[in-house]
Amino acid sequence: MKNFTVKPLAAAIASVGLATALAGPGLVWAEDEEAEVVEEVVVTGSRIQRTENTQSRPVVTITGADIIASGAISVADALRDSTLNSLGSFRESSGSSAQSNAYVNLRGAGSGRTLVLLNGRRAVGSPSLGGGGIVNLNMLPLETVDRIEIIPDGASAVYGSDAVAGVINVILKDEYEGFKIKARYGSRSRDAGEETGISLLTGASTDRGSFVAGFEHDSRDPIFDADRSFTAASKTDKNGDGVIQGYEETVGISIYGYTLLNPAYTGGPYDVTDTDTWYFHPGANCSETNGFQGEMEYFGMGKYCGYAYALVSANRASLDRTNAWISADYELTENTEAFFDLVWTEVDSFGRYAPPAAPGPVIPGDPRNLIVSPTQGNVTATNGYFRWTDIGFRDNNVQDTFIDINAGVKGSLSDNVRWEAYATVSKYKSASIGTYYLSYAGLDYNINEEIDDFDEFVANLKHTTLNDDIQTMKKFFLGAQWDMFEMAGGQASSYFGLEQFEVNYDALVDAQSEAGLVGGSAGNSAQGNRSVTAFSAETILPVTDWMEVDLAVRYDQYSDVGSAVTPRIGVTAQIPQLQALTLRASYGEGFRAPDLSDLFGATAFSASSGIDYYGCQLQGIESADCPQQQFNTYIGSNPNLDAEKSSSLSFGIEYDITDTWQAALTYFKLELEDTIELTSAQDQLTVDFNTGGNNPNVVRTGSVVQSISAGFQNAVVPLERDGIDLTVNGMIETAYGRFTIGGDISHYLTYDTEASYGTGDLYNAAGRLGFTKWLAGALVRWSMDDYSASLSWRYVGSSKAEVGDEEYPQWDTFNAGFGYDFGEKGSVTLGIRNLLDRDPLLRDGEMANEYIYDLTGRVISLSYSVEM
């Protein structure tokens, strides 16, 4: 068992010991006296209930009303557009095993380093996203969201693993009386796609209890590559030589069409007039029908017959979401209350890919197998790279089911001691069924049995894939708050918690795929489990009436990767002479345990994209002209991974400009050590280039890559990131209505990245394409009498190419909304997302980055709601 202790366990005692030491003669214990009853609340980042919302680190709050006014139609949309989501984030994407998923990536530090809470509690993650290490935001309801609180600062001392870059707490409504129904219809301007939604919200209360319940259903149609000019298949003879250079002059066209491996290949220098020097050959009768594309040259290795997969593939998967939620509480006695909440969500998604692409033997008797050799006459090929169009399109239908049940009791033992205990069961199941994949076993059967009936031959080739992934978390929590004594600045309080949870991960893959007998799909079944026991302590010390110190420490014991101690200290100060000015500082250490799939996951196949600089070097192609291609990539896990370690530091200034205007400026710094990296095809290709072709994970025939082995490992060098955030919020009352204004700016100063994978040489990636230095956003809301309007703005700064000095311009979009309230008859809202119908940022006519720039185009929607 590994031990990844961050600091000695003595740190766990320090916060409590310091609190006791400070309770000296200069401090007065609270005496029994009448006091005004003021409601206390829990703020994200601390379990201590307080009457004031002062913290030593930044807290960004997005209300449910803000989300709707911004034009977002899901929690994922709202968080994706946040300036704190520095690198953008994954959204539902056809062509991925996680096509129904969406996540957020605070500070660009990695989605697995952002902890997403539901009502302040850890929920189980998606088994399709890092073995449950990442929460799928598409499983969370929208209309029942009260607010989202974000702490873009390390919080492992309170919440444990994953809270390295920060915490996002999605808080659902717990107080509502009445009944509300809302319906929405939206239409996209660039295709025939639609968006629809309906939601219900109801609640009631008595003297001893209350409940709130909600229901939602919404759907979005898929977006196909062919419906956008910048994702559609195309080919252009850019250099005018009369020959289409594959991948250099094509988009959305793959070598996997009907491309033969030439048995007459001599291995000599490539001669376009001598087919014996062609390693690849397009076969006979290569024509532009049924998606196939005519002869194209392949980097001095011959010619091929390609297939335009982007003619039929879906880019964005469809989503069909249904969720229900209930929260209830009941007063058992004067000092004891029971509470219960449940969230249930089901998401169905559809993704379409081109017919299966795979290397393999030719179909016997197909006239395209014939190659004319100048020296050997007619030669029949036996193997090649094929697109099995007669089988049909690969359609993936994924059903995700999420349920989170929480029940507990809380109460008080005395005026200064409160307690809570709850149990949570959280389960996520993802079932994926893929139709019309290629069965190698069926192909062998056809050959061995000499099947010559075409329909029977094709039927035997078809295979249905199955992935059944389940992740379950069972958790028990016991905590108590002790309001210890009065200090010069107010009440000193501590919180002590005991937490125990178990996580089980199972990934089931159909036997044929597991055996590697399915073209276009691969993988193995896998399973893993872990149990975690944690102790935590927090203390808030109002040392003076203008300065407060808060301390926290947590000890985690993992059954699979060892233990960790994570401390934190923070200071908040209001200078007496400048009451409107608040200073805050925070330092903390954190960790992230490897995801279960990182440790125990299966080896999976992926047709990954990359640039083969070494292969281009062998062919005399300049690096600047070396094109991006797809490679057969096999990705596996690593049971010997260590946990990541981190430290975070922040300084901030908050200023109350007026009673209605506030501003906050924050500097942050994040250091990561032993980061767990998923080595990609490009990483391995880069190592191969740097070692002169001596990377054993890259297998070649000549200059052509046959396969790449990739996987997880700990990085060899620490990484550092830092930047500045500015937030301004305010309100203006005029004779023409009330204006509520909010704006955020994030500026990254340093984002360490390895200049060349595996070398440890770092460079600052901030400002490069895909990671702009500047992100900004603003929301203006106006209301007057029964009228309302809103305008939101999202800005992405300019950037340079990953290699070279080519610059890409700034990019921004606007969303607008207009509403009218009919009183008892309800209200209606017209919403317009992407008001100006902006394209995403393009690079040479193609999307520059799908995580940051959206390709949906303008969407016009109309919603109606009525409350009773």
Side-chain angles (χ1 to χ4, degrees):
M1 178 178 293
K2 307 181 187 74
N3 187 300
F4 54 92
T5 302
V6 178
K7 289 292 182 182
L9 185 57
I13 306 170
S15 65
V16 179
L18 178 58
T20 306
L22 288 174
L27 301 176
V28 180
W29 290 83
E31 308 214 357
D32 292 336
E33 58 181 18
E34 283 192 27
E36 181 183 356
V37 178
V38 180
E39 182 182 1
E40 295 185 322
V41 296
V42 177
V43 179
T44 302
S46 174
R47 300 187 189 276
I48 298 177
Q49 292 188 4
R50 313 183 63 191
T51 56
E52 295 182 358
N53 185 11
T54 57
Q55 284 208 125
S56 56
R57 52 189 171 186
V59 179
V60 177
T61 300
I62 307 172
T63 67
D66 290 339
I67 296 174
I68 302 301
S70 71
I73 60 173
S74 70
V75 170
D77 288 344
L79 292 173
R80 184 181 297 113
D81 291 344
S82 169
T83 59
L84 300 172
N85 192 31
S86 305
L87 293 182
S89 55
F90 182 84
R91 68 173 74 228
E92 52 282 352
S93 179
S94 178
S96 166
S97 60
Q99 70 178 24
S100 60
N101 288 250
Y103 58 65
V104 67
N105 181 2
L106 285 181
R107 302 294 193 199
S111 55
R113 301 182 186 100
T114 299
L115 179 62
V116 177
L117 305 175
L118 180 60
N119 290 329
R121 299 183 300 274
R122 181 186 293 264
V124 71
S126 168
S128 303
L129 290 175
I134 305 169
V135 170
N136 178 9
L137 298 175
N138 280 331
M139 308 309 283
L140 303 180
L142 173 68
E143 295 293 339
T144 52
V145 170
D146 180 71
R147 66 191 185 280
I148 300 174
E149 294 181 343
I150 306 172
I151 293 185
D153 193 30
S156 287
V158 176
Y159 298 111
S161 178
D162 307 336
V164 171
V167 175
I168 295 174
N169 188 9
V170 180
I171 302 169
L172 305 182
K173 298 180 189 294
D174 61 358
E175 292 184 3
Y176 181 78
E177 293 193 36
F179 179 84
K180 181 179 180 180
I181 183 170
K182 180 178 179 180
R184 174 178 50 84
Y185 173 81
S187 177
R188 297 198 294 251
S189 63
R190 299 194 173 197
D191 55 47
E194 297 179 343
E195 300 177 355
T196 60
I198 186 170
S199 65
L200 306 172
L201 179 65
T202 186
S205 64
T206 68
D207 291 340
R208 300 190 64 176
S210 65
F211 85 93
V212 181
F215 169 85
E216 280 183 5
H217 177 80
D218 62 76
S219 64
R220 296 192 214 184
D221 289 338
I223 298 176
F224 287 88
D225 285 316
D227 290 333
R228 302 291 186 272
S229 61
F230 42 82
T231 55
S234 64
K235 56 184 179 181
T236 306
D237 185 10
K238 298 178 181 178
N239 59 15
D241 64 355
V243 179
I244 297 296
Q245 307 295 325
Y247 294 96
E248 289 182 289
E249 298 179 330
T250 66
V251 176
I253 301 175
S254 170
I255 191 174
Y256 288 90
Y258 207 92
T259 301
L260 304 175
L261 300 183
N262 185 7
Y265 175 58
T266 60
Y270 172 66
D271 182 352
V272 69
T273 64
D274 182 359
T275 59
D276 285 358
T277 66
W278 297 8
Y279 180 74
F280 297 107
H281 196 284
N285 303 319
C286 178
S287 60
E288 298 189 11
T289 58
N290 298 323
F292 289 98
Q293 299 294 310
E295 295 184 2
M296 286 168 278
E297 200 166 66
Y298 191 80
F299 307 122
M301 293 293 289
K303 294 186 178 181
Y304 69 93
C305 187
Y307 183 84
Y309 59 86
L311 285 176
V312 297
S313 57
N315 187 290
R316 293 279 186 266
S318 70
L319 279 186
D320 204 49
R321 304 191 318 143
T322 303
N323 60 59
W325 171 74
I326 186 170
S327 176
D329 60 75
Y330 186 75
E331 187 179 293
L332 299 174
T333 69
E334 184 179 354
N335 297 318
T336 308
E337 178 184 290
F339 56 90
F340 170 84
D341 57 74
L342 178 149
V343 176
W344 172 86
T345 304
E346 181 177 285
V347 175
D348 295 290
S349 67
F350 165 82
R352 169 162 289 174
Y353 324 129
V362 300
I363 297 178
D366 194 309
R368 292 176 292 183
N369 299 337
L370 187 65
I371 297 175
V372 178
S373 167
T375 59
Q376 303 179 46
N378 292 340
V379 178
T380 300
T382 57
N383 289 278
Y385 290 175
F386 302 114
R387 184 72 58 169
W388 302 88
T389 55
D390 293 317
I391 296 176
F393 302 131
R394 287 172 295 162
D395 288 349
N396 271 33
N397 292 278
V398 181
Q399 184 179 80
D400 293 76
T401 304
F402 168 81
I403 186 167
D404 186 88
I405 304 173
N406 183 76
V409 290
K410 59 184 178 180
S412 59
L413 296 178
S414 64
D415 290 341
N416 61 343
V417 177
R418 281 160 288 184
W419 58 274
E420 62 179 331
Y422 62 82
T424 301
V425 176
S426 195
K427 183 177 182 179
Y428 195 124
K429 180 175 181 179
S430 179
S432 174
I433 297 176
T435 54
Y436 303 125
Y437 281 75
L438 171 65
S439 169
Y440 286 135
L443 179 58
D444 289 342
Y445 176 84
N446 286 336
I447 295 172
N448 294 333
E449 298 298 322
E450 299 182 350
I451 303 297
D452 56 8
D453 180 80
F454 182 80
D455 291 338
E456 182 181 357
F457 191 100
V458 172
N460 291 338
L461 294 179
K462 296 178 181 179
H463 177 78
T464 299
T465 64
L466 172 66
N467 285 74
D468 195 6
D469 302 334
I470 301 175
Q471 184 132 330
T472 304
M473 184 188 72
K474 298 179 180 179
K475 174 182 172 181
F476 174 77
F477 182 87
L478 176 64
Q481 178 172 329
W482 172 30
D483 295 335
M484 300 181 295
F485 44 78
E486 285 288 340
M487 299 182 69
Q491 181 75 54
S493 300
S494 287
Y495 191 98
F496 304 92
L498 169 63
E499 185 175 346
Q500 199 282 330
F501 62 91
E502 297 180 357
V503 180
N504 291 283
Y505 165 71
D506 289 281
L508 174 66
V509 179
D510 67 276
Q512 295 297 299
S513 296
E514 193 171 28
L517 298 177
V518 179
S521 175
N524 294 312
S525 299
Q527 64 178 18
N529 60 78
R530 66 166 40 131
S531 61
V532 180
T533 301
F535 303 91
S536 61
E538 298 179 58
T539 301
I540 293 179
L541 304 170
V543 180
T544 70
D545 58 359
W546 57 270
M547 186 177 72
E548 179 179 275
V549 176
D550 57 289
L551 306 164
V553 68
R554 180 179 169 113
Y555 170 79
D556 285 87
Q557 176 66 51
Y558 277 68
S559 60
D560 50 0
V561 291
S563 61
V565 175
T566 47
R568 179 187 171 273
I569 182 171
V571 178
T572 306
Q574 285 185 311
I575 301 175
Q577 292 77 15
L578 296 172
Q579 290 294 322
L581 188 67
T582 301
L583 305 178
R584 46 181 168 76
S586 172
Y587 173 80
E589 297 183 358
F591 78 102
R592 173 177 173 255
D595 294 331
L596 288 171
S597 63
D598 298 354
L599 296 169
F600 309 114
T603 298
F605 170 83
S606 173
S608 300
S609 297
I611 301 175
D612 181 13
Y613 292 108
Y614 182 66
C616 286
Q617 185 182 75
L618 292 176
Q619 298 170 55
I621 300 174
E622 295 293 332
S623 294
D625 298 324
C626 195
Q628 189 172 68
Q629 308 171 57
Q630 287 183 314
F631 300 94
N632 295 330
T633 306
Y634 298 88
I635 302 170
S637 57
N638 182 356
N640 298 312
L641 289 172
D642 292 320
E644 299 179 350
K645 298 181 260 310
S646 68
S647 63
S648 57
L649 176 70
S650 67
F651 299 98
I653 302 174
E654 296 180 0
Y655 183 60
D656 294 333
I657 304 170
T658 68
D659 290 341
T660 58
W661 282 87
Q662 298 82 36
L665 182 68
T666 301
Y667 168 81
F668 70 89
K669 182 176 182 180
L670 175 65
E671 294 183 350
L672 302 171
E673 187 177 349
D674 294 330
T675 55
I676 297 171
E677 304 289 346
L678 174 59
T679 61
S680 65
Q682 186 62 67
D683 294 332
Q684 297 296 345
L685 289 169
T686 301
V687 172
D688 202 48
F689 174 74
N690 290 334
T691 58
N694 290 317
N695 182 3
N697 292 321
V698 178
V699 179
R700 297 179 181 272
T701 298
S703 63
V704 178
V705 174
Q706 299 297 313
S707 65
I708 298 174
S709 297
F712 295 93
Q713 68 179 47
N714 292 105
V716 298
V717 61
L719 303 174
E720 181 178 305
R721 286 91 191 264
D722 71 333
I724 299 172
D725 298 325
L726 173 65
T727 300
V728 179
N729 293 286
M731 186 263 292
I732 302 175
E733 291 275 10
T734 74
Y736 305 101
R738 170 183 291 182
F739 293 84
T740 303
I741 303 168
D744 303 280
I745 299 175
S746 290
H747 176 56
Y748 238 115
L749 298 170
T750 306
Y751 189 92
D752 281 345
T753 302
E754 282 188 282
S756 180
Y757 177 78
T759 64
D761 297 330
L762 300 179
Y763 81 101
N764 183 10
R768 294 292 178 177
L769 182 62
F771 191 6
T772 175
K773 287 184 177 181
W774 292 96
L775 286 174
L779 172 63
V780 180
R781 300 168 63 189
W782 168 83
S783 62
M784 181 177 179
D785 298 329
D786 297 325
Y787 297 91
S788 63
S790 64
L791 181 68
S792 65
W793 171 64
R794 179 170 179 253
Y795 170 87
V796 180
S798 61
S799 55
K800 291 185 178 180
E802 296 96 329
V803 179
D805 294 325
E806 183 179 1
E807 296 210 13
Y808 297 91
Q810 64 189 40
W811 181 90
D812 58 2
T813 56
F814 294 89
N815 300 331
F818 309 91
Y820 183 78
D821 190 342
F822 295 96
E824 294 182 355
K825 295 181 180 180
S827 62
V828 63
T829 301
L830 174 69
I832 307 175
R833 297 206 312 275
N834 196 346
L835 181 66
L836 303 179
D837 198 20
R838 290 287 305 274
D839 279 341
L841 183 68
L842 301 180
R843 176 176 57 179
D844 297 328
E846 299 179 53
M847 276 192 70
N849 186 301
E850 64 175 331
Y851 283 6
I852 296 179
Y853 310 99
D854 185 30
L855 57 70
T856 306
R858 183 187 294 124
V859 180
I860 300 176
S861 64
L862 187 67
S863 63
Y864 171 78
S865 64
V866 61
E867 195 165 3
M868 294 171 279

